[in-house]
Structure formats: C-alpha cells, structure tokens
Amino acid sequence: MGELHSGSGLVSILMHRIEGFLAPRYRGKVVLQASIFAIYLKIRGLLNNRVIANRGFALDLKGYSVTFLHFANLLASMHPIRATLSIFSLLLGFSLGIGQEASSEYRIAVVPKGTDRDRWQAIHAGALKASEELAAEGVQVEILWKGETVSRSDKQIQVVDTFTGQRLSGILVASIDETHLSGNIRIDRNSDLPLVYIDSGLDADRPLSYVATDNFQGGAIAADRIGQLTEGVGNVILLRHRQGDTNSEAREAGFIEKIKSEYPSIRMISIDQYAGDSMSQADTAAEYLLNRYGRRVNAVFASSASGADAMLNALRNFNLAGQVYLVGYEASSTPYARARCKV
Amino acid sequence: MGYLGVTTLVDHIQGGNTPTMVDTGVTLVTMANIESSEVQEALGANGNAAIQ
C-alpha cells in the first residue's frame, strides 16, 4: 500500500507541474494512448507490489483509476508534443520507482536541521536503530539521510524538494524555520506522502505527527536541578539560545516559571543574553556575563549546547570552575567533559 | 527522536493509529548517573535532550 500510495503521489505531483502548460485543443488519440499506458502501469505496479495481499486492494485500485482518468483528461487538452513528453517522463519515473521497490519495502527520508552537531548524529543513529529493529521483525526500512552543513531554511527546503520527486513511503523533517518551511513545503500540499515533524515544526499545515521533547518541562527540570544544587538560595544567570527558536524559548520559559514559583530565594540576575548560533557569539556572551556578574553568580543555566560549552570555557578562563554550578541543555559530547570536571 | 520518528511513520503506513504528539522525554544527566545505560542510550542512540 505504501508503494501504491507514493505512486499516485508521484502522478499527482507531475500533474500539478504539467497543468501550467495547458493548451486545450487536442483530444482523441492522446486519450487512448494515455488509457493504454495507465492500464500498463497499473498491471506492472500491482505485479511489483508485494504488500497488496494484506492491504486495501480495492481502495488502491479506485484511487488509481481516478488519478489516471484525471491524467487522461489532462493529456487530451494538451499539445501532442507536450503530452508525449509527459508520458515519457511518467514512464521514466515509474520504471525507476518500480526498480527500487525490490530493495526495500519502505523508504523513509530524514531531513535534519544540520549535520554538524552531535544531536543530529544521534537522531540519525536513532533512525538507523529503528530500521535495524524493524528489519528483525521482517519490515525492511531504508533510511535516506540528508541534511545541509549550513543550517539555513532555504537550503533545507531544497533538500526537502529533492525528496518530493522520489519514490518514498514517508519523510521526517526537523524544520529550521517552521513558518517558512510550511509555506514552501510541497509534499504537504501536492501528495499524500506521510510527513512527520521531529524536533520542531508545529506551525506546519498538517503533519501526521510531531515527535519532540517537552522543552518547557525540560527547562523546569533544569530549574529544579539548580534549586537542589544551590539549596534554593543564590544568584542565577539564564543564558538563552536564540531569538525565534521555539524549542529553546520553551526551555527558558519553563526554567523561569519554575524558579519564580518554587524558589523564591533564587534571584535571576540576568535573563537577556543570547548564545546565538556561532561559537564566537556564544563565547562573547558568556564572557560578558562573567565580566559583569562573575563575582555574584552561583549558578548558570544555558538553554543550548553552544551556550553551555561557551559558559564552561568562560568559567574555566575566569577561574570559576568548581565554584559556579552550570546546567546545560542538550546532548553533545562535551557534557561528559563538563560532568567529569565537576563544574 | 530519529527512532521514534521512524517507528511512528512505519506504524502509520501499516495502518496503525498515530498520535499527533509523541514526547521523547527528558533525561537529567548528572555525575551520578552518567555511566548508567539509560543515560548512555539517551545521549548516544535515542537523541533525547539531556540535561547535565
């Protein structure tokens, strides 16, 4: 069923692309050709589909007929040369797609925000682990991992677009800029390709599912940890991540609310500095904070890996390591170092 | 997140019910538990957010 669905998805996408060229003049022969071609595709597609035995067979057949009727009408209204070209491109797409079917039952694309950080490596490892476990249960899942080294939403949209033309069973996207991506994401509109957002992307039209961490609660856990370490008394700094990043903003909100409601004797002496995306920006923010508050601060919560790393370095440079508690959010390889030197 | 994303998708494709929201959970990592298998899994394979 997965294959059939993504097959009709492919046709829908092509049709949407073809619609721009319409010149409603030619009919007849083209309709006949398209119908024969449709029947050929259907037979070939069904023969190659190993899942149909236990899935909604009739339903899929119906979906196919409707799709091809629509397609035939479309072709009839086109210039013969354009119609022929469309048929050839479709034929090519299908033979490629059908060829790939034998290697894997499902193909799932995973698009991270970037490829540089440990976090995305961990997500990749998680996806592969799921694929291995499913293989042990007899379900073959091929993971197609592709991100850009630069975390920019326009780059990410390009990556997503390259996947929309492929034969997939589903796609996981960790959207960099929720509104931007949802405004441009074509898989969401023009196909029935199942889409699941991971990490972030709540504003999008209709993802199937949203798999993420409860960041607000994570921030509250960090606040509890600081409350426990300082025994509920002291001055604390919140080093934020980046403006507009919904995940870290939720962590920060959870942290602030928890401190305010549960730890009246903990004072938040700075909550307006941002670590940002680059390491140099994070270092600058951390040094600024320690220059200004270094003598008074008892604990720091950094809501991102870059902020936590920068703050750790700064604490060492200011000879404050071992005196100031540092709680950082996010899994990276450095928390090991941090934990071991008992900051 | 990668793990849960893939299993959620496969569940859906196979016709299962898919929850709109899947929470990965948050793990507090400290000196005391950093060596534990649960934390190692969260840091390494599952990609959960970890707090130290």
Side-chain angles (χ1 to χ4, degrees):
Chain A
M1 178 146 144
E3 288 82 10
L4 277 175
H5 268 182
S6 44
S8 59
L10 178 70
V11 176
S12 317
I13 290 170
L14 275 169
M15 286 198 306
H16 279 275
R17 290 194 180 151
I18 289 166
E19 260 166 351
F21 303 107
L22 286 186
R25 278 158 63 193
Y26 299 90
R27 288 172 194 279
K29 238 161 65 177
V30 184
V31 178
L32 188 70
Q33 281 173 359
S35 311
I36 294 169
F37 178 61
I39 292 164
Y40 163 76
L41 279 181
K42 194 184 288 181
I43 292 169
R44 231 194 122 170
L46 292 180
L47 283 178
N48 276 279
N49 193 313
R50 282 172 293 158
V51 208
I52 44 168
N54 54 356
R55 306 297 316 176
F57 178 67
L59 209 81
D60 282 331
L61 261 179
K62 196 179 155 206
Y64 250 75
S65 312
V66 171
T67 304
F68 278 105
L69 208 65
H70 185 178
F71 184 60
N73 282 333
L74 205 70
L75 286 173
S77 59
M78 289 167 80
H79 188 280
I81 296 173
R82 280 189 179 136
T84 315
L85 279 176
S86 314
I87 288 177
F88 272 121
S89 60
L90 250 189
L91 184 63
L92 188 69
F94 268 79
S95 48
L96 287 177
I98 288 164
Q100 285 164 357
E101 236 167 63
S103 61
S104 186
E105 287 206 21
Y106 300 128
R107 302 174 81 221
I108 293 179
V110 186
V111 182
K113 282 187 186 175
T115 49
D116 49 336
R117 277 163 47 196
D118 296 335
R119 170 170 181 67
W120 306 116
Q121 304 300 333
I123 285 176
H124 189 196
L128 292 176
K129 189 182 168 206
S131 153
E132 278 168 29
E133 286 184 15
L134 288 162
E137 294 168 17
V139 182
Q140 300 296 323
V141 181
E142 187 188 344
I143 304 291
L144 307 168
W145 170 265
K146 186 154 171 50
E148 284 287 338
T149 42
V150 197
S151 271
R152 267 178 31 205
S153 57
D154 55 331
K155 289 269 178 200
Q156 189 181 41
I157 288 163
Q158 283 175 13
V159 174
V160 171
D161 278 350
T162 62
F163 277 126
T164 59
Q166 295 184 29
R167 206 167 158 74
L168 291 175
S169 321
I171 184 164
L172 300 177
V173 180
S175 150
I176 291 170
D177 180 327
E178 297 87 36
T179 37
H180 194 183
L181 190 61
S182 65
N184 285 272
I185 203 160
R186 266 159 252 174
I187 43 168
D188 212 3
R189 303 252 167 89
N190 291 352
S191 96
D192 47 10
L193 185 64
L195 165 71
V196 166
Y197 278 108
I198 50 172
D199 186 69
S200 43
L202 263 181
D203 293 349
D205 283 355
R206 44 184 172 81
L208 187 66
S209 237
Y210 176 56
V211 179
T213 306
D214 186 340
N215 284 287
F216 189 88
Q217 201 224 340
I221 290 176
D224 276 337
R225 179 66 179 159
I226 283 188
Q228 184 194 349
L229 291 167
T230 58
E231 292 170 347
V233 185
N235 296 323
V236 60
I237 289 173
L238 164 62
L239 177 54
R240 293 177 185 264
H241 177 40
R242 177 166 59 83
Q243 257 166 327
D245 181 274
T246 47
N247 284 343
S248 52
E249 280 173 354
R251 288 169 206 159
E252 291 146 13
F255 178 81
I256 291 172
E257 190 176 296
K258 189 77 172 180
I259 292 282
K260 276 189 180 160
S261 64
E262 305 259 323
Y263 305 98
S265 303
I266 292 183
R267 248 186 79 213
M268 286 180 276
I269 51 179
S270 167
I271 57 165
D272 60 358
Q273 290 300 304
Y274 287 86
D277 278 327
S278 73
M279 216 42 225
S280 61
Q281 201 185 338
D283 286 337
T284 310
E287 279 161 26
Y288 164 80
L289 282 169
L290 292 187
N291 263 326
R292 188 158 173 200
Y293 302 107
R295 291 165 190 275
R296 289 194 280 150
V297 67
N298 303 108
V300 178
F301 170 52
S303 64
S304 66
S306 58
D309 289 349
M311 185 51 84
L312 174 64
N313 286 335
L315 285 170
R316 284 177 180 152
N317 293 340
F318 281 76
N319 291 321
L320 289 169
Q323 297 170 44
V324 176
Y325 295 109
L326 172 61
V327 174
Y329 202 108
E330 208 120 63
S332 77
S333 52
T334 31
Y336 288 89
R338 189 152 68 238
R340 293 224 162 94
C341 50
K342 292 192 190 177
V343 178
Chain B
M1 233 170 252
Y3 181 89
L4 286 170
V6 170
T7 48
T8 304
L9 254 183
V10 170
D11 265 2
H12 167 79
I13 297 164
Q14 294 186 324
N17 282 330
T18 319
T20 327
M21 187 83 195
V22 183
D23 185 11
T24 59
V26 183
T27 314
L28 178 70
V29 182
T30 64
M31 278 296 286
N33 70 0
I34 187 107
E35 307 289 349
S36 74
S37 57
E38 186 203 336
V39 169
Q40 289 294 321
E41 187 173 309
L43 287 173
N46 243 345
N48 281 357
I51 294 178
Q52 180 263 318

mmCIF file of all heavy atoms in Angstrom, chain A residues 20-57:
data_model
loop_
_atom_site.group_PDB
_atom_site.id
_atom_site.type_symbol
_atom_site.label_atom_id
_atom_site.label_comp_id
_atom_site.label_asym_id
_atom_site.label_seq_id
_atom_site.Cartn_x
_atom_site.Cartn_y
_atom_site.Cartn_z
ATOM 1 N N GLY A 20 0.548 23.723 -15.719
ATOM 2 C CA GLY A 20 0.993 25.031 -16.174
ATOM 3 C C GLY A 20 1.091 25.168 -17.690
ATOM 4 O O GLY A 20 1.014 26.253 -18.231
ATOM 5 N N PHE A 21 1.258 24.062 -18.408
ATOM 6 C CA PHE A 21 1.480 24.123 -19.867
ATOM 7 C C PHE A 21 0.209 23.978 -20.695
ATOM 8 O O PHE A 21 0.267 23.890 -21.902
ATOM 9 C CB PHE A 21 2.424 22.979 -20.301
ATOM 10 C CG PHE A 21 3.741 22.987 -19.602
ATOM 11 C CD1 PHE A 21 4.027 22.043 -18.642
ATOM 12 C CD2 PHE A 21 4.699 23.936 -19.922
ATOM 13 C CE1 PHE A 21 5.243 22.033 -18.005
ATOM 14 C CE2 PHE A 21 5.923 23.932 -19.285
ATOM 15 C CZ PHE A 21 6.195 22.993 -18.325
ATOM 16 N N LEU A 22 -0.934 23.899 -20.060
ATOM 17 C CA LEU A 22 -2.149 23.504 -20.788
ATOM 18 C C LEU A 22 -2.499 24.362 -21.987
ATOM 19 O O LEU A 22 -2.437 25.576 -21.937
ATOM 20 C CB LEU A 22 -3.351 23.491 -19.831
ATOM 21 C CG LEU A 22 -3.373 22.320 -18.868
ATOM 22 C CD1 LEU A 22 -4.660 22.335 -18.072
ATOM 23 C CD2 LEU A 22 -3.265 21.020 -19.655
ATOM 24 N N ALA A 23 -2.879 23.690 -23.063
ATOM 25 C CA ALA A 23 -3.424 24.362 -24.234
ATOM 26 C C ALA A 23 -4.581 23.504 -24.718
ATOM 27 O O ALA A 23 -4.395 22.497 -25.388
ATOM 28 C CB ALA A 23 -2.381 24.471 -25.338
ATOM 29 N N PRO A 24 -5.818 23.844 -24.330
ATOM 30 C CA PRO A 24 -6.961 22.929 -24.514
ATOM 31 C C PRO A 24 -7.406 22.838 -25.973
ATOM 32 O O PRO A 24 -8.369 23.464 -26.380
ATOM 33 C CB PRO A 24 -8.050 23.541 -23.641
ATOM 34 C CG PRO A 24 -7.680 24.982 -23.529
ATOM 35 C CD PRO A 24 -6.208 25.093 -23.708
ATOM 36 N N ARG A 25 -6.709 22.041 -26.797
ATOM 37 C CA ARG A 25 -7.105 21.915 -28.211
ATOM 38 C C ARG A 25 -7.191 20.472 -28.691
ATOM 39 O O ARG A 25 -8.011 20.138 -29.535
ATOM 40 C CB ARG A 25 -6.124 22.682 -29.096
ATOM 41 C CG ARG A 25 -6.444 24.169 -29.144
ATOM 42 C CD ARG A 25 -5.225 24.979 -29.534
ATOM 43 N NE ARG A 25 -4.759 24.647 -30.869
ATOM 44 C CZ ARG A 25 -3.584 25.021 -31.343
ATOM 45 N NH1 ARG A 25 -2.761 25.694 -30.574
ATOM 46 N NH2 ARG A 25 -3.226 24.704 -32.549
ATOM 47 N N TYR A 26 -6.298 19.630 -28.209
ATOM 48 C CA TYR A 26 -6.185 18.306 -28.814
ATOM 49 C C TYR A 26 -6.798 17.203 -27.952
ATOM 50 O O TYR A 26 -6.587 17.146 -26.763
ATOM 51 C CB TYR A 26 -4.714 17.999 -29.060
ATOM 52 C CG TYR A 26 -4.090 18.987 -29.994
ATOM 53 C CD1 TYR A 26 -3.499 20.149 -29.507
ATOM 54 C CD2 TYR A 26 -4.107 18.773 -31.360
ATOM 55 C CE1 TYR A 26 -2.939 21.091 -30.351
ATOM 56 C CE2 TYR A 26 -3.553 19.704 -32.228
ATOM 57 C CZ TYR A 26 -2.974 20.856 -31.714
ATOM 58 O OH TYR A 26 -2.425 21.765 -32.556
ATOM 59 N N ARG A 27 -7.550 16.341 -28.596
ATOM 60 C CA ARG A 27 -8.172 15.226 -27.889
ATOM 61 C C ARG A 27 -8.022 13.936 -28.686
ATOM 62 O O ARG A 27 -7.279 13.865 -29.657
ATOM 63 C CB ARG A 27 -9.663 15.517 -27.665
ATOM 64 C CG ARG A 27 -9.873 16.582 -26.611
ATOM 65 C CD ARG A 27 -11.315 17.006 -26.544
ATOM 66 N NE ARG A 27 -11.423 18.232 -25.772
ATOM 67 C CZ ARG A 27 -11.439 18.256 -24.458
ATOM 68 N NH1 ARG A 27 -11.373 17.148 -23.774
ATOM 69 N NH2 ARG A 27 -11.543 19.400 -23.834
ATOM 70 N N GLY A 28 -8.783 12.886 -28.287
ATOM 71 C CA GLY A 28 -8.864 11.686 -29.118
ATOM 72 C C GLY A 28 -7.731 10.702 -28.926
ATOM 73 O O GLY A 28 -7.711 9.980 -27.945
ATOM 74 N N LYS A 29 -6.777 10.750 -29.868
ATOM 75 C CA LYS A 29 -5.719 9.756 -29.895
ATOM 76 C C LYS A 29 -4.945 9.723 -28.580
ATOM 77 O O LYS A 29 -4.604 8.663 -28.053
ATOM 78 C CB LYS A 29 -4.745 10.073 -31.052
ATOM 79 C CG LYS A 29 -4.624 8.925 -32.023
ATOM 80 C CD LYS A 29 -4.055 9.369 -33.358
ATOM 81 C CE LYS A 29 -2.624 9.863 -33.276
ATOM 82 N NZ LYS A 29 -2.064 10.230 -34.587
ATOM 83 N N VAL A 30 -4.693 10.909 -28.064
ATOM 84 C CA VAL A 30 -3.892 11.008 -26.839
ATOM 85 C C VAL A 30 -4.580 10.333 -25.664
ATOM 86 O O VAL A 30 -3.946 9.653 -24.850
ATOM 87 C CB VAL A 30 -3.602 12.498 -26.513
ATOM 88 C CG1 VAL A 30 -2.701 12.610 -25.312
ATOM 89 C CG2 VAL A 30 -2.983 13.168 -27.715
ATOM 90 N N VAL A 31 -5.910 10.498 -25.601
ATOM 91 C CA VAL A 31 -6.661 9.860 -24.516
ATOM 92 C C VAL A 31 -6.486 8.350 -24.580
ATOM 93 O O VAL A 31 -6.241 7.689 -23.568
ATOM 94 C CB VAL A 31 -8.169 10.209 -24.614
ATOM 95 C CG1 VAL A 31 -8.941 9.516 -23.513
ATOM 96 C CG2 VAL A 31 -8.365 11.706 -24.553
ATOM 97 N N LEU A 32 -6.597 7.820 -25.798
ATOM 98 C CA LEU A 32 -6.459 6.381 -25.986
ATOM 99 C C LEU A 32 -5.072 5.919 -25.524
ATOM 100 O O LEU A 32 -4.944 4.966 -24.750
ATOM 101 C CB LEU A 32 -6.669 6.048 -27.471
ATOM 102 C CG LEU A 32 -6.745 4.558 -27.785
ATOM 103 C CD1 LEU A 32 -8.036 3.973 -27.226
ATOM 104 C CD2 LEU A 32 -6.673 4.329 -29.288
ATOM 105 N N GLN A 33 -4.056 6.615 -25.984
ATOM 106 C CA GLN A 33 -2.684 6.262 -25.597
ATOM 107 C C GLN A 33 -2.525 6.300 -24.077
ATOM 108 O O GLN A 33 -1.964 5.401 -23.472
ATOM 109 C CB GLN A 33 -1.687 7.250 -26.230
ATOM 110 C CG GLN A 33 -1.413 6.956 -27.679
ATOM 111 C CD GLN A 33 -0.572 8.046 -28.313
ATOM 112 O OE1 GLN A 33 -0.217 9.014 -27.661
ATOM 113 N NE2 GLN A 33 -0.267 7.877 -29.578
ATOM 114 N N ALA A 34 -3.061 7.358 -23.482
ATOM 115 C CA ALA A 34 -2.915 7.513 -22.036
ATOM 116 C C ALA A 34 -3.606 6.382 -21.300
ATOM 117 O O ALA A 34 -3.100 5.863 -20.305
ATOM 118 C CB ALA A 34 -3.473 8.854 -21.599
ATOM 119 N N SER A 35 -4.773 5.977 -21.808
ATOM 120 C CA SER A 35 -5.513 4.910 -21.127
ATOM 121 C C SER A 35 -4.751 3.598 -21.190
ATOM 122 O O SER A 35 -4.640 2.877 -20.197
ATOM 123 C CB SER A 35 -6.883 4.722 -21.759
ATOM 124 O OG SER A 35 -7.510 5.967 -21.892
ATOM 125 N N ILE A 36 -4.221 3.284 -22.390
ATOM 126 C CA ILE A 36 -3.439 2.053 -22.531
ATOM 127 C C ILE A 36 -2.236 2.099 -21.594
ATOM 128 O O ILE A 36 -1.936 1.149 -20.870
ATOM 129 C CB ILE A 36 -2.968 1.878 -24.004
ATOM 130 C CG1 ILE A 36 -4.185 1.653 -24.902
ATOM 131 C CG2 ILE A 36 -1.977 0.725 -24.119
ATOM 132 C CD1 ILE A 36 -3.874 1.743 -26.378
ATOM 133 N N PHE A 37 -1.598 3.237 -21.588
ATOM 134 C CA PHE A 37 -0.435 3.428 -20.729
ATOM 135 C C PHE A 37 -0.822 3.260 -19.247
ATOM 136 O O PHE A 37 -0.130 2.604 -18.473
ATOM 137 C CB PHE A 37 0.121 4.827 -20.984
ATOM 138 C CG PHE A 37 1.292 5.176 -20.138
ATOM 139 C CD1 PHE A 37 2.453 4.428 -20.233
ATOM 140 C CD2 PHE A 37 1.237 6.236 -19.260
ATOM 141 C CE1 PHE A 37 3.550 4.753 -19.451
ATOM 142 C CE2 PHE A 37 2.321 6.555 -18.477
ATOM 143 C CZ PHE A 37 3.479 5.808 -18.583
ATOM 144 N N ALA A 38 -1.987 3.816 -18.882
ATOM 145 C CA ALA A 38 -2.442 3.725 -17.495
ATOM 146 C C ALA A 38 -2.659 2.271 -17.099
ATOM 147 O O ALA A 38 -2.256 1.835 -16.022
ATOM 148 C CB ALA A 38 -3.721 4.521 -17.317
ATOM 149 N N ILE A 39 -3.267 1.532 -18.005
ATOM 150 C CA ILE A 39 -3.538 0.123 -17.703
ATOM 151 C C ILE A 39 -2.222 -0.637 -17.559
ATOM 152 O O ILE A 39 -2.029 -1.424 -16.619
ATOM 153 C CB ILE A 39 -4.412 -0.505 -18.824
ATOM 154 C CG1 ILE A 39 -5.812 0.120 -18.772
ATOM 155 C CG2 ILE A 39 -4.505 -2.014 -18.653
ATOM 156 C CD1 ILE A 39 -6.620 -0.119 -20.016
ATOM 157 N N TYR A 40 -1.297 -0.352 -18.467
ATOM 158 C CA TYR A 40 0.020 -0.986 -18.399
ATOM 159 C C TYR A 40 0.693 -0.703 -17.057
ATOM 160 O O TYR A 40 1.175 -1.609 -16.382
ATOM 161 C CB TYR A 40 0.887 -0.477 -19.557
ATOM 162 C CG TYR A 40 2.361 -0.729 -19.383
ATOM 163 C CD1 TYR A 40 2.895 -2.005 -19.579
ATOM 164 C CD2 TYR A 40 3.207 0.303 -18.998
ATOM 165 C CE1 TYR A 40 4.241 -2.233 -19.406
ATOM 166 C CE2 TYR A 40 4.559 0.079 -18.822
ATOM 167 C CZ TYR A 40 5.074 -1.187 -19.030
ATOM 168 O OH TYR A 40 6.405 -1.410 -18.844
ATOM 169 N N LEU A 41 0.670 0.568 -16.667
ATOM 170 C CA LEU A 41 1.299 0.951 -15.404
ATOM 171 C C LEU A 41 0.649 0.243 -14.227
ATOM 172 O O LEU A 41 1.300 -0.235 -13.318
ATOM 173 C CB LEU A 41 1.169 2.461 -15.180
ATOM 174 C CG LEU A 41 2.167 3.343 -15.909
ATOM 175 C CD1 LEU A 41 1.904 4.795 -15.543
ATOM 176 C CD2 LEU A 41 3.591 2.966 -15.526
ATOM 177 N N LYS A 42 -0.670 0.184 -14.289
ATOM 178 C CA LYS A 42 -1.416 -0.407 -13.182
ATOM 179 C C LYS A 42 -1.029 -1.873 -13.019
ATOM 180 O O LYS A 42 -0.704 -2.330 -11.929
ATOM 181 C CB LYS A 42 -2.910 -0.269 -13.441
ATOM 182 C CG LYS A 42 -3.732 -0.535 -12.209
ATOM 183 C CD LYS A 42 -5.197 -0.474 -12.525
ATOM 184 C CE LYS A 42 -5.662 0.938 -12.784
ATOM 185 N NZ LYS A 42 -7.093 0.999 -13.070
ATOM 186 N N ILE A 43 -1.010 -2.587 -14.138
ATOM 187 C CA ILE A 43 -0.670 -4.007 -14.070
ATOM 188 C C ILE A 43 0.758 -4.182 -13.560
ATOM 189 O O ILE A 43 1.022 -4.955 -12.649
ATOM 190 C CB ILE A 43 -0.829 -4.670 -15.464
ATOM 191 C CG1 ILE A 43 -2.306 -4.688 -15.821
ATOM 192 C CG2 ILE A 43 -0.258 -6.085 -15.458
ATOM 193 C CD1 ILE A 43 -2.561 -5.070 -17.258
ATOM 194 N N ARG A 44 1.648 -3.390 -14.102
ATOM 195 C CA ARG A 44 3.049 -3.523 -13.687
ATOM 196 C C ARG A 44 3.220 -3.171 -12.210
ATOM 197 O O ARG A 44 3.882 -3.859 -11.454
ATOM 198 C CB ARG A 44 3.930 -2.601 -14.530
ATOM 199 C CG ARG A 44 5.081 -3.386 -15.108
ATOM 200 C CD ARG A 44 6.129 -2.494 -15.640
ATOM 201 N NE ARG A 44 7.365 -2.803 -14.945
ATOM 202 C CZ ARG A 44 8.524 -2.336 -15.297
ATOM 203 N NH1 ARG A 44 8.619 -1.497 -16.292
ATOM 204 N NH2 ARG A 44 9.596 -2.675 -14.631
ATOM 205 N N GLY A 45 2.552 -2.078 -11.823
ATOM 206 C CA GLY A 45 2.645 -1.618 -10.434
ATOM 207 C C GLY A 45 2.114 -2.676 -9.481
ATOM 208 O O GLY A 45 2.724 -3.004 -8.476
ATOM 209 N N LEU A 46 0.984 -3.280 -9.830
ATOM 210 C CA LEU A 46 0.366 -4.257 -8.943
ATOM 211 C C LEU A 46 1.209 -5.525 -8.859
ATOM 212 O O LEU A 46 1.367 -6.113 -7.803
ATOM 213 C CB LEU A 46 -1.040 -4.591 -9.414
ATOM 214 C CG LEU A 46 -2.040 -3.433 -9.290
ATOM 215 C CD1 LEU A 46 -3.404 -3.869 -9.782
ATOM 216 C CD2 LEU A 46 -2.131 -2.944 -7.866
ATOM 217 N N LEU A 47 1.754 -5.923 -10.016
ATOM 218 C CA LEU A 47 2.571 -7.132 -10.011
ATOM 219 C C LEU A 47 3.784 -6.960 -9.118
ATOM 220 O O LEU A 47 4.245 -7.879 -8.477
ATOM 221 C CB LEU A 47 3.021 -7.459 -11.437
ATOM 222 C CG LEU A 47 1.970 -8.083 -12.331
ATOM 223 C CD1 LEU A 47 2.532 -8.297 -13.706
ATOM 224 C CD2 LEU A 47 1.472 -9.402 -11.737
ATOM 225 N N ASN A 48 4.296 -5.736 -9.126
ATOM 226 C CA ASN A 48 5.501 -5.494 -8.356
ATOM 227 C C ASN A 48 5.226 -5.206 -6.879
ATOM 228 O O ASN A 48 6.123 -5.051 -6.103
ATOM 229 C CB ASN A 48 6.265 -4.314 -8.951
ATOM 230 C CG ASN A 48 7.131 -4.777 -10.086
ATOM 231 O OD1 ASN A 48 8.204 -5.296 -9.879
ATOM 232 N ND2 ASN A 48 6.618 -4.637 -11.290
ATOM 233 N N ASN A 49 3.984 -5.030 -6.561
ATOM 234 C CA ASN A 49 3.673 -4.636 -5.192
ATOM 235 C C ASN A 49 3.444 -5.867 -4.315
ATOM 236 O O ASN A 49 2.501 -6.608 -4.490
ATOM 237 C CB ASN A 49 2.429 -3.766 -5.196
ATOM 238 C CG ASN A 49 2.258 -3.082 -3.879
ATOM 239 O OD1 ASN A 49 2.373 -3.723 -2.838
ATOM 240 N ND2 ASN A 49 2.017 -1.806 -3.903
ATOM 241 N N ARG A 50 4.327 -6.027 -3.369
ATOM 242 C CA ARG A 50 4.251 -7.229 -2.548
ATOM 243 C C ARG A 50 3.341 -7.070 -1.346
ATOM 244 O O ARG A 50 3.063 -8.005 -0.630
ATOM 245 C CB ARG A 50 5.657 -7.605 -2.088
ATOM 246 C CG ARG A 50 6.467 -8.291 -3.172
ATOM 247 C CD ARG A 50 7.880 -8.452 -2.722
ATOM 248 N NE ARG A 50 8.514 -7.153 -2.618
ATOM 249 C CZ ARG A 50 9.569 -6.898 -1.883
ATOM 250 N NH1 ARG A 50 10.099 -7.840 -1.167
ATOM 251 N NH2 ARG A 50 10.106 -5.707 -1.856
ATOM 252 N N VAL A 51 2.921 -5.844 -1.074
ATOM 253 C CA VAL A 51 2.153 -5.609 0.143
ATOM 254 C C VAL A 51 0.658 -5.727 -0.071
ATOM 255 O O VAL A 51 -0.096 -5.815 0.880
ATOM 256 C CB VAL A 51 2.451 -4.195 0.702
ATOM 257 C CG1 VAL A 51 2.262 -4.168 2.209
ATOM 258 C CG2 VAL A 51 3.872 -3.772 0.360
ATOM 259 N N ILE A 52 0.225 -5.728 -1.365
ATOM 260 C CA ILE A 52 -1.210 -5.648 -1.618
ATOM 261 C C ILE A 52 -2.010 -6.784 -1.019
ATOM 262 O O ILE A 52 -3.171 -6.610 -0.714
ATOM 263 C CB ILE A 52 -1.531 -5.562 -3.131
ATOM 264 C CG1 ILE A 52 -0.679 -6.570 -3.875
ATOM 265 C CG2 ILE A 52 -1.330 -4.172 -3.641
ATOM 266 C CD1 ILE A 52 -1.144 -6.747 -5.309
ATOM 267 N N ALA A 53 -1.374 -7.929 -0.851
ATOM 268 C CA ALA A 53 -2.113 -9.096 -0.387
ATOM 269 C C ALA A 53 -2.900 -8.817 0.888
ATOM 270 O O ALA A 53 -4.053 -9.219 1.014
ATOM 271 C CB ALA A 53 -1.161 -10.253 -0.168
ATOM 272 N N ASN A 54 -2.296 -8.078 1.824
ATOM 273 C CA ASN A 54 -2.983 -7.889 3.104
ATOM 274 C C ASN A 54 -3.469 -6.454 3.304
ATOM 275 O O ASN A 54 -3.815 -6.059 4.391
ATOM 276 C CB ASN A 54 -2.073 -8.304 4.265
ATOM 277 C CG ASN A 54 -0.749 -7.585 4.208
ATOM 278 O OD1 ASN A 54 -0.489 -6.840 3.269
ATOM 279 N ND2 ASN A 54 0.096 -7.797 5.200
ATOM 280 N N ARG A 55 -3.471 -5.646 2.258
ATOM 281 C CA ARG A 55 -3.909 -4.267 2.421
ATOM 282 C C ARG A 55 -5.163 -3.978 1.594
ATOM 283 O O ARG A 55 -5.679 -4.851 0.890
ATOM 284 C CB ARG A 55 -2.792 -3.295 2.014
ATOM 285 C CG ARG A 55 -1.483 -3.530 2.707
ATOM 286 C CD ARG A 55 -1.552 -3.323 4.207
ATOM 287 N NE ARG A 55 -2.303 -2.133 4.531
ATOM 288 C CZ ARG A 55 -2.565 -1.776 5.782
ATOM 289 N NH1 ARG A 55 -2.150 -2.514 6.793
ATOM 290 N NH2 ARG A 55 -3.234 -0.695 6.032
ATOM 291 N N GLY A 56 -5.626 -2.744 1.688
ATOM 292 C CA GLY A 56 -6.859 -2.361 0.991
ATOM 293 C C GLY A 56 -6.689 -2.296 -0.516
ATOM 294 O O GLY A 56 -6.490 -1.234 -1.103
ATOM 295 N N PHE A 57 -6.777 -3.415 -1.149
ATOM 296 C CA PHE A 57 -6.503 -3.580 -2.572
ATOM 297 C C PHE A 57 -7.493 -2.780 -3.421
ATOM 298 O O PHE A 57 -7.109 -1.953 -4.254
ATOM 299 C CB PHE A 57 -6.572 -5.072 -2.878
ATOM 300 C CG PHE A 57 -6.365 -5.414 -4.316
ATOM 301 C CD1 PHE A 57 -5.128 -5.197 -4.916
ATOM 302 C CD2 PHE A 57 -7.380 -5.965 -5.059
ATOM 303 C CE1 PHE A 57 -4.934 -5.530 -6.238
ATOM 304 C CE2 PHE A 57 -7.182 -6.298 -6.374
ATOM 305 C CZ PHE A 57 -5.956 -6.082 -6.963
#
